[in-house]
Each structure stands twice: as structure tokens, then as C-alpha cells.
Amino acid sequence: GARGPSPPGGMSDPARDGAWFEDVDVETSFRLPPELEKRVLTPALVVDLDAVRRNVKAVVDVIGDVERYRPHLKTTKSRLVWRELLRAGINKFKVATTRELATLVETYHGEYPGAETTPPFRHLDVLVAYPAVGPSLARVGDIARRPENKARVRVSVLVECEDAVNELPDDVGCFVDVNPGMNRTGIALDSKDGVEFTAIPATIRAAWIRDSFHGKSPFRGVHYYEGHISECVDANGRSREDVDAAIESRDERCRASLETLAETLACAWIAVARWLEHHRNETNSPARALPGMHSDHLEVVTSGTPGFVAASTFDLDAAVRRAWAAAVAKYTPSDAKPSSDAADTASPPPP
């Protein structure tokens, strides 16, 4: 959060100056006390816990709600830092490997050992942010099934197709991974006209059916990381007006990307509504509302730094409902449009 030369591999973002972090003098603020400096064997990793706490608070203040914060622990890989996050009331995390998952769960139980200490949240919620398969998926399932974890730890993985949904261990939830154009992981955003049922709606439908009708593998939501349009803005040699315009351009691209996601989610809920109506007709069952995850909100995991500033102010719930209404209106009877009853009972759950 300091002004000064840009750090290696990145540039300072003037959107943060004076807003998130106080200005600091790099030469003095990050220097070890002389008595400690004489004793440290170098090279060494030194963590300023006061700075960690300030940074965590700053991010939560920007987002506005600790429930919306899901930090990725691959960036710290330190029990010391993870304990600070837990103590700050953060219970949702992303990890990259099964080893990080096991270490975080162990850290959580060490910090809050059940009856002796009550955490400031209901449970630990961990997303293994990778489409785990084979032995890795089996290990995730083993960790989720451990007796000490079943009531206190929720574990999820990413899925990229219907087959992956059906191969999930029963105790492991899933987020459908959508590729917003970064081309790293996830199902590509390839819907042609906003209502075409492509792989994303089909995978979401499969995840919803497995959860809601079979009681297996809780469908947690969607993972959508638009890191390719969340670049920092370089202020060097630019006027404040140019910098502000660049930041607004970046934020607008983030918002446009989220609008596209909203259209895709609306397609997914229409796919589910169609399946529900077909199921009702086949089984003569009564109309059924379209629930989210056990009557809870679905979660959309999106954005890294600094794109999450734009995402945190974007009303995805309203965008999905607008897209839902527009997409339903495009159908004709020959398209097997859901009946008015189905449309009324199957409005999309808020993300």
C-alpha cells in the first residue's frame, strides 16, 4: 500500500492511494527494529502482523461484508497469516492443492478445537480452486468425510462438465468453473445469442439436479475469474484525468463481463426450469419452485485485485433477473417455453 517505485512484476494502482491504505515511507515503515535486525539470520521471511491486520481490514472495508471475502491462500502459504484471517472472522477460502486444504483444516481445528473454543462463524468453507480428478479428487473426498470435519467444514471443487459433476464424492460440493476469456480453466463463454443452451447451462443443470433431487454434492455456485481484465493502472507520466479514465475503462470492462455472466446464468436457470417442467409432466408431481443451494444463496466467486472493487459494487442479482426476463420473452411455443406456472415458480435464485 505504499507509494514509490513500482514493485517487481506489477505497478501501483493510483485508485488505492489515500483510499485503502495510509501512505507510508518504505524506507522506515518496513525496516526491522535495530535490535531484531542484529539477530535475524538472512535470508529470512519476515511478516509484519500489524500490516497484515490493517490490510485485511482494508479489504473488508472496501467489500463491505466479511461474508463476501474469499481470499486465495496460495498467495500466502503461511499458517501464521491464515490464523489472522480466521481471527478476523473470515471463514471462506480458496486453495490450490489438497495439501493446502489439509493444512488449512488442521489450522482451523487448532485455532478452534470444538467445545473449548467457538469460532466467530458457523463453519469453515474451502474451495479447492482447481478441477480435481483422480487421486486428488479422492483425497478431497477423504478430507471432507473425516468425522471431525463433517459438521464443521464444507469442501468444494471446481467442475467443468457434466461428467465431472457425476463423479464427485457425495460429501464434496462444486462450483461450475466458467472461463470469462482468461483461457486458463473453465467452460468457455460460448453462448451465441443469450439463450442458447451450451455447456455452461448444461453443467449447472446437472449440478443442481445432483444436489436438489439426489441430495449429493451440494451445488455451491459459479467460479468466474476475470483476471485478464483486472490489470493495475500505471500513473507514471499521466495526468489524473487520464488515470481516472483508465481506471473507469477497466471497471467498465469488468462490469460488462459480469453482465455476460448474468446472461449465462439466466440461460442456466431456464434450462433447469425446462427440466423441472419435464420432470413434473413425466411424474405427475406438483409444481416445484427453483431453489438455490438448500434455500441459501448461490455464490459467484469472482475477481482478484483490483477488479474486485468493480465486482463488489455490481448488482449481479438484478442483472440475472433482467437477463432471465429477457431470455424467457424470446422463447416461442415451438422452443418448449416453460409454462407461465413454471416461469412463476422457477424464477432464478439470487446469487
Side-chain angles (χ1 to χ4, degrees):
R3 286 179 176 171
S6 299
M11 295 175 287
S12 60
D13 189 338
R16 304 180 188 178
D17 288 351
W20 295 10
F21 305 99
E22 295 180 2
D23 293 336
V24 295
D25 185 333
V26 177
E27 295 300 321
T28 60
S29 296
F30 301 135
R31 192 181 188 95
L32 292 177
E35 63 276 10
L36 182 59
E37 199 171 54
K38 294 176 182 178
R39 305 200 319 264
V40 172
L41 296 175
T42 57
L45 173 65
V46 179
V47 178
D48 183 340
L49 288 180
D50 287 337
V52 170
R53 294 167 188 139
R54 287 195 302 271
N55 291 345
V56 170
K57 182 180 183 302
V59 172
V60 173
D61 286 346
V62 170
I63 297 173
D65 185 354
V66 71
E67 286 291 318
R68 301 181 69 187
Y69 190 20
R70 188 183 281 274
H72 203 319
L73 299 186
K74 70 177 183 181
T75 60
T76 52
K77 292 186 180 292
S78 166
R79 291 177 187 258
L80 184 70
V81 174
W82 298 357
R83 282 193 290 267
E84 291 298 325
L85 293 169
L86 290 167
R87 291 168 185 172
I90 297 164
N91 73 315
K92 297 178 181 178
F93 300 93
K94 288 169 65 174
V95 297
T97 67
T98 58
R99 183 175 182 179
E100 289 177 4
L101 169 64
T103 304
L104 173 62
V105 170
E106 183 180 303
T107 303
Y108 166 72
H109 285 305
E111 188 70 16
Y112 301 109
E116 295 86 353
T117 309
T118 303
F121 38 75
R122 289 179 301 168
H123 50 251
L124 182 68
D125 185 334
V126 192
L127 166 61
V128 181
Y130 197 79
V133 296
S136 293
L137 183 59
R139 189 176 185 218
V140 172
D142 290 342
I143 293 172
R145 282 191 296 270
R146 290 174 186 171
E148 67 272 23
N149 294 337
K150 287 187 72 70
R152 302 184 62 198
V153 179
R154 301 169 75 174
V155 182
S156 304
V157 297
L158 300 182
V159 294
E160 298 180 317
C161 63
E162 294 179 72
D163 289 343
V165 171
N166 296 325
E167 292 171 1
L168 289 170
D170 292 352
D171 298 313
V172 175
C174 70
F175 285 79
V176 174
D177 193 17
V178 176
N179 173 17
M182 194 170 183
N183 300 327
R184 188 167 61 180
T185 62
I187 312 170
L189 278 170
D190 55 358
S191 180
K192 296 179 181 178
D193 60 359
V195 297
E196 175 132 347
F197 292 165
T198 57
I200 297 171
T203 305
I204 290 176
R205 178 179 58 192
W208 181 87
I209 292 170
R210 182 172 172 84
D211 177 8
S212 296
F213 272 77
H214 303 296
K216 300 177 181 179
S217 307
F219 173 41
R220 299 297 313 283
V222 171
H223 182 264
Y224 187 81
Y225 181 67
E226 75 284 27
H228 62 300
I229 54 175
S230 295
E231 76 279 358
C232 291
V233 174
D234 186 10
N236 294 328
R238 304 172 74 176
S239 68
R240 185 71 215 187
E241 290 77 14
D242 287 344
V243 169
D244 289 343
I247 293 171
E248 177 56 30
S249 174
R250 178 193 65 200
D251 291 350
E252 180 56 36
R253 281 180 286 131
C254 287
R255 289 189 290 266
S257 180
L258 291 171
E259 287 283 359
T260 302
L261 173 63
E263 294 172 1
T264 302
L265 292 178
C267 289
W269 298 132
I270 292 174
V272 173
R274 282 181 165 183
W275 184 90
L276 274 173
E277 187 171 33
H278 175 76
H279 176 78
R280 184 183 66 181
N281 293 336
E282 288 290 315
T283 61
N284 293 319
S285 59
R288 178 173 176 174
L290 175 59
M293 177 200 53
H294 303 306
S295 300
D296 201 352
H297 287 192
L298 295 173
E299 179 181 352
V300 176
V301 182
T302 182
S303 299
T305 307
F308 77 92
V309 179
S312 67
T313 59
F314 183 83
D315 191 342
L316 185 60
D317 181 14
V320 171
R321 293 182 185 280
R322 288 194 303 272
W324 163 272
V328 168
K330 290 183 178 181
Y331 285 103
T332 64
S334 61
D335 291 320
K337 174 182 176 181
S339 67
S340 58
D341 289 341
D344 288 341
T345 59
S347 59

